[in-house]
Amino acid sequence: MNARKLIAAAIAVAAFTASGAMAQTVKVGIINTYSGPFAEPGELMDRGITLYMKQHEKDLPLGVKIELIKRDDTGPQPDVAKRLAQELITRDQVQLLAGIVYTPNAMAIAPLVTEAKVPLIVMNASTPVITMKSPYIARVSFTLWHSSYPLGQWAAKHDIKTAYTAVSDYAPGADAEQAFIKGFTESGGQIVGSVKMPLQNPDFAPYMQKAKDAKPAALFVFVPAGTQAIAVMKAFGDVGLKQAGIKLIGPGDITTDEGLDAMGDVALDVITMLHYSAVGKAPGNAAFVKAYQDEFGKDQVPAFEVVQGYDGMAAIFDVIKAQNGKIDPDKTMDLLKGWKYDSARGPIMIDPETRDIVQNEYLRKVERVNGHLSNVEYETIPMVKDPWKALNKQQ
Ligand code: PHB
């Protein structure tokens, strides 16, 4: 290249990077729970988002930037979530939406993303039908059926003959209950009672007493991860179910990694099914845990919501990179269908038919590892598709 051409090229590059017209800023609206008694999963998810951004911002194409616009839905509050989504879409003109801890919020937002054609990457909310509510929704988290259906089958085949179920009284609780009961009874187990517990301000002790009085071999529990999981574990201990020989089992939401030490010894031996454990053996997990601790503190352990936020950002980065920052909603959904990633939880994929996640489920038992209570993985069920959709042959 001669000198004149070199100078021309340098001017072109300078113009490209300096000009607002050429640079692409992709606006991503994050609707998450940042305040109130339901905020813990949201804060963990936010850490995953932050960590991925920090590690990978440099990998974006030249001139492409991501602007995250974060909003607080304050908990399972569909009206708040809907208003926030409306504002993000119409006023802030986001090209993508992500986050959403709670199912009622995802259900409220679904019609808006369909109408506006703004792809939504669900990073937690777990009722199976969410992905069916809009062709512009893909999920990187899980459904309650992923965990609770195979757990029911496992329990019946491992000498648990009777079970009692206690779940939060909202859609994910109903899903967990139905999934567990189906898996358990199909494999020969018997349900001796079921109860629904209030989602707002629950006092778990009376429900634990009812479960104890029914004398089941196992108590299956689902409550949202976070402070409620710690409270239900405490009530399980205080009411004396463990001493009465009743085994506590459930989806891994009830033994989240970051809450285990706060739960204390009552959590020992609790058996759960989930897609991630901080002591999991997936190839990428050791580096993930180290990066998390370098960022947030040596005493911190990542929980499943962190991984979901992190992996959700990986999906977002990939669709932005593939389109060089110019987001087309339909192209984005095509890119998400069949998207694959080597996650800290193991390999994951977005099912092209349902836009729901396909991932390993791990059977885990709470044990003490290096002085900390941990979800130690014992069995792996590889690449599970949402069993509810498979059983109902719907998409
Ligand atoms: C949900 O509302 O979909 C939800 C929230 C917290 C969980 C699981 C599911 O731990």
Side-chain angles (χ1 to χ4, degrees), residues 1 6-7 14 17 45 62-63 72 79 90-91 111-112 141 148 152 171 173 176 199 249 310 328 353 363 387-389:
M1 214 185 273
L6 254 181
I7 290 165
T17 44
M45 187 197 284
L62 189 66
D72 177 12
D79 292 341
T90 53
R91 202 182 58 202
L112 300 183
S141 51
S148 301
L199 179 61
I249 59 176
Y310 188 91
D328 173 80
E353 311 296 327
L363 184 87
W388 188 87
K389 292 193 184 68

Side-chain angles (χ1 to χ4, degrees), residues 187-382:
S187 302
Q190 191 199 341
I191 298 292
V192 295
S194 291
V195 73
K196 294 227 166 71
M197 308 180 285
L199 179 61
Q200 305 285 348
N201 305 314
D203 170 9
F204 293 118
Y207 300 99
M208 292 298 115
Q209 187 62 51
K210 272 192 181 181
K212 187 181 175 192
D213 293 345
K215 296 190 177 20
L219 170 63
F220 171 89
V221 169
F222 166 78
V223 293
T227 48
Q228 291 212 4
I230 295 173
V232 88
M233 189 69 76
K234 182 171 186 313
F236 179 83
D238 289 350
V239 177
L241 281 84
K242 190 166 185 162
Q243 295 86 322
I246 299 170
K247 289 189 175 65
L248 180 60
I249 59 176
D253 309 62
I254 64 167
T255 58
T256 50
D257 296 299
E258 94 295 347
L260 278 177
D261 280 333
M263 291 177 188
D265 283 0
V266 64
L268 279 168
D269 299 329
V270 172
I271 298 227
T272 57
M273 188 80 78
L274 200 70
H275 50 280
Y276 178 72
S277 162
V279 297
K281 300 278 181 290
N285 192 39
F288 179 75
V289 173
K290 184 179 180 309
Y292 184 78
Q293 293 181 334
D294 287 348
E295 185 68 23
F296 299 108
K298 288 282 163 241
D299 59 336
Q300 301 288 301
V301 274
F304 66 92
E305 302 95 325
V306 179
V307 179
Q308 294 163 185
Y310 188 91
D311 294 353
M313 286 312 292
I316 288 171
F317 267 61
D318 281 355
V319 298
I320 289 175
K321 282 197 268 182
Q323 297 175 88
N324 218 2
K326 296 182 196 72
I327 298 297
D328 173 80
D330 295 304
K331 178 88 200 299
T332 298
M333 294 316 296
D334 284 346
L335 289 163
L336 289 170
K337 291 175 197 167
W339 179 76
K340 288 195 175 115
Y341 184 63
D342 281 323
S343 165
R345 57 183 127 165
I348 59 171
M349 186 181 95
I350 303 284
D351 179 28
E353 311 296 327
T354 63
R355 290 163 277 102
D356 221 333
I357 186 122
V358 186
Q359 61 190 342
N360 295 348
E361 287 293 320
Y362 303 97
L363 184 87
R364 312 102 48 85
K365 185 165 144 199
V366 178
E367 293 178 3
R368 200 176 295 284
V369 180
N370 301 328
H372 292 287
L373 296 185
S374 307
N375 288 299
V376 178
E377 296 173 352
Y378 278 95
E379 287 175 30
T380 305
I381 312 176

Side-chain angles (χ1 to χ4, degrees), residues 40 54-55 59 64 95 109-110 120 136 147 172 178 202 206 289 300 322 329 352 356:
E40 195 171 315
K54 199 161 178 184
Q55 288 178 335
D59 304 334
V64 175
Q95 287 129 300
I109 290 169
L120 165 62
Y136 292 95
S147 51
Q178 286 161 18
V289 173
Q300 301 288 301
D356 221 333

